[in-house]
């Protein structure tokens, strides 16, 4: 049994060292030095070249280094073998931290105090108690639910939207189009943690922004494809939205001449909200391989029909 590793943004040696702590006998090949393709029956990948996985005749398992799998599903040649996505405590804790950071940034006037410090001004500003601030989370899955729970510990009011109703303590659950319409007008901040699918592409658009209260803030930590960029700029520029924190973009890296870079109401991070750290996530990969080898049911399988 041989694992193919393919990612241009992850360190293969570090991953090998971490996975072999759990599976010392594992043979791992690193793309493009893959040797005899017939040996390979498992692949651990992030954005592999289209067609690569289809060229492996004995492939039986694909494990995604990312939680979001739309880059894989977009490859029409993707083999019909089980696809396991990344769900790990490290990734989840990272995302909850990013979301908390962005909510606090806007609620606790971090940028305003930065400007005051730059002017050497001691000027207390008013902020509402967290218990008066409502945060809506689009997507109450692994990352959305964990982010909502973290914000609850800080006393924020939490609303969450998912395909099916959810029971997350302290989070009011909404689902379906009617649920979204009911939730949006109540959100002081809206956090997107949806998977990118045919149904969710472009969901952060002019209609959604108009349904948010004036002065709302949008945080997108999911995928750039969720956001209609021109609609965000229009909603910010006419003053309806107060600001946006964006971690993900339609084109990554974000081109140097993109208007988001210099927009005074946009805060940018370069797709780092949640990282699949090998030291925290190799055990998930090892578990998937072990289950696969022993014929046990696989956790975190992607439902290709749903797209996530
Ligand atoms: P997940 O566990 O699969 O959760 C997805 C959630 O979205 C579920 O609650 C699901 O509802 C809901 N959903 C899906 N389609 C929907 C629809 N059409 N209408 C309403 N709700 C819908 O995914 P996750 O692990 O939380 O990850 C979410 C996304 O975060 C990933 O797909 C990825 O794009 C992004 N991500 C970004 C970073 C970063 O660094 N920026 C890092 C990791 C992941 P049900 O539960 O009812 O199915
Ligand atoms: C990162 O964006 C991921 O999907 O894990």
């Amino acid at each position: 049994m041989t694992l193919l590793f393919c990612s241009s943004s992850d360190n293969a040696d570090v991953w090998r060292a971490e996975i072999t702590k759990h599976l010392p006998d594992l043979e791992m090949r690193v793309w493009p030095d893959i040797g005899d393709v017939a040996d390979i029956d498992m692949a651990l990948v992030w954005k592999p070249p289209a067609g690569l996985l289809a060229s492996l005749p004995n492939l039986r398992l694909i494990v995604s280094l990312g939680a979001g799998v739309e880059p894989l599903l977009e490859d029409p040649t993707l083999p019909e073998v089980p696809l396991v996505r990344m769900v790990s405590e490290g990734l989840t804790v990272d995302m909850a931290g990013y979301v908390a950071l962005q909510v606090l940034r806007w609620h606790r006037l971090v940028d305003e105090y930065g400007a005051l410090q730059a002017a050497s001004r001691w000027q207390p500003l008013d902020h509402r108690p967290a218990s008066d601030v409502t945060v809506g989370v689009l997507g109450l899955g692994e990352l959305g639910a964990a982010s909502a729970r973290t914000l609850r510990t800080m006393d924020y009011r939490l609303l969450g939207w998912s395909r099916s109703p959810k029971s997350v303590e302290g989070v009011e659950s909404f689902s379906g189009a009617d649920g979204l319409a009911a939730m949006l007008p109540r959100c002081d901040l809206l956090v997107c943690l949806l998977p990118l699918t045919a149904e969710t592409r472009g969901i952060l658009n002019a209609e959604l922004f108009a349904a948010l209260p004036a002065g709302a803030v949008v945080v997108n930590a999911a995928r750039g494809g969720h956001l209609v960029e021109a609609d965000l700029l229009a909603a910010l520029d006419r003053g309806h939205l107060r600001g946006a924190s964006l971690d993900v973009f339609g084109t990554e890296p974000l081109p140097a001449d993109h208007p988001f870079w210099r927009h005074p109401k946009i805060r940018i991070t370069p797709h780092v909200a949640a990282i699949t750290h090998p030291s925290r996530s190799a055990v998930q990969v090892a578990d998937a391989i072990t289950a696969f080898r022993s014929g046990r049911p696989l956790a975190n399988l992607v439902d290709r029909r749903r797209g996530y």
Side-chain angles (χ1 to χ4, degrees), residues 10 12 16 18 57 94 116 126 170 199 203 206 246 258 260 299-300:
D10 296 275
R16 186 198 303 276
E18 290 294 338
D94 241 20
L116 287 167
D126 283 339
E199 287 173 25
I203 191 168
L246 306 176
H258 197 287
F260 283 176
N300 307 314

Side-chain angles (χ1 to χ4, degrees), residues 229 248-263 268-270:
E229 296 185 348
V248 286
F249 303 90
T251 303
E252 295 181 2
L254 188 65
D257 60 353
H258 197 287
F260 283 176
W261 281 116
R262 280 164 291 281
H263 198 288
I268 287 175
T269 45

Side-chain angles (χ1 to χ4, degrees), residues 11-186:
N11 185 318
D13 292 334
V14 175
W15 272 99
R16 186 198 303 276
E18 290 294 338
I19 298 173
T20 51
K21 283 182 189 169
H22 307 280
L23 299 172
D25 63 336
L26 182 76
E27 185 181 347
M28 183 172 123
R29 307 231 180 111
V30 181
W31 186 82
D33 297 324
I34 62 178
D36 184 352
V37 291
D39 296 340
I40 295 166
D41 56 356
M42 304 171 287
L44 176 61
V45 294
W46 176 245
K47 297 187 179 176
L52 171 67
L53 297 173
S55 73
L56 307 173
N58 294 320
L59 188 69
R60 297 287 175 269
L61 173 70
I62 303 169
V63 181
S64 169
L65 283 160
V69 289
E70 85 293 337
L72 285 165
L73 298 181
E74 280 163 8
D75 178 356
T77 70
L78 187 73
E80 287 285 339
V81 301
L83 169 57
V84 169
R85 72 188 191 93
M86 184 55 65
V87 173
S88 84
E89 200 188 337
L91 196 69
T92 304
V93 167
D94 241 20
M95 183 58 84
Y98 169 86
V99 170
L101 175 71
Q102 298 310 323
V103 167
L104 288 166
R105 166 202 281 278
W106 294 100
H107 169 221
R108 296 300 300 269
L109 309 172
V110 168
D111 293 322
E112 287 81 350
Y113 283 117
L116 287 167
Q117 179 174 351
S120 306
R121 283 185 57 198
W122 180 276
Q123 172 71 66
L125 304 171
D126 283 339
H127 68 263
R128 286 187 281 162
S131 57
D132 287 356
V133 176
T134 301
V135 182
V137 181
L138 300 178
L140 269 189
E142 296 291 338
L143 303 179
S147 300
R149 280 192 209 99
T150 298
L151 291 173
R152 270 301 300 147
T153 67
M154 299 176 198
D155 222 16
Y156 290 100
R157 288 187 203 155
L158 267 301
L159 315 178
W161 185 66
S162 44
R163 185 198 291 272
S164 50
K166 292 278 176 285
S167 174
V168 180
E169 197 181 338
V171 182
E172 197 176 335
S173 166
F174 297 81
S175 59
D178 291 350
L180 184 62
M183 181 177 107
L184 292 174
R186 294 174 54 192

Side-chain angles (χ1 to χ4, degrees), residues 189-203:
L189 297 102
L190 184 73
V191 178
C192 180
L193 280 171
L194 290 163
L196 185 61
T197 66
E199 287 173 25
T200 65
R201 183 176 288 280
I203 191 168

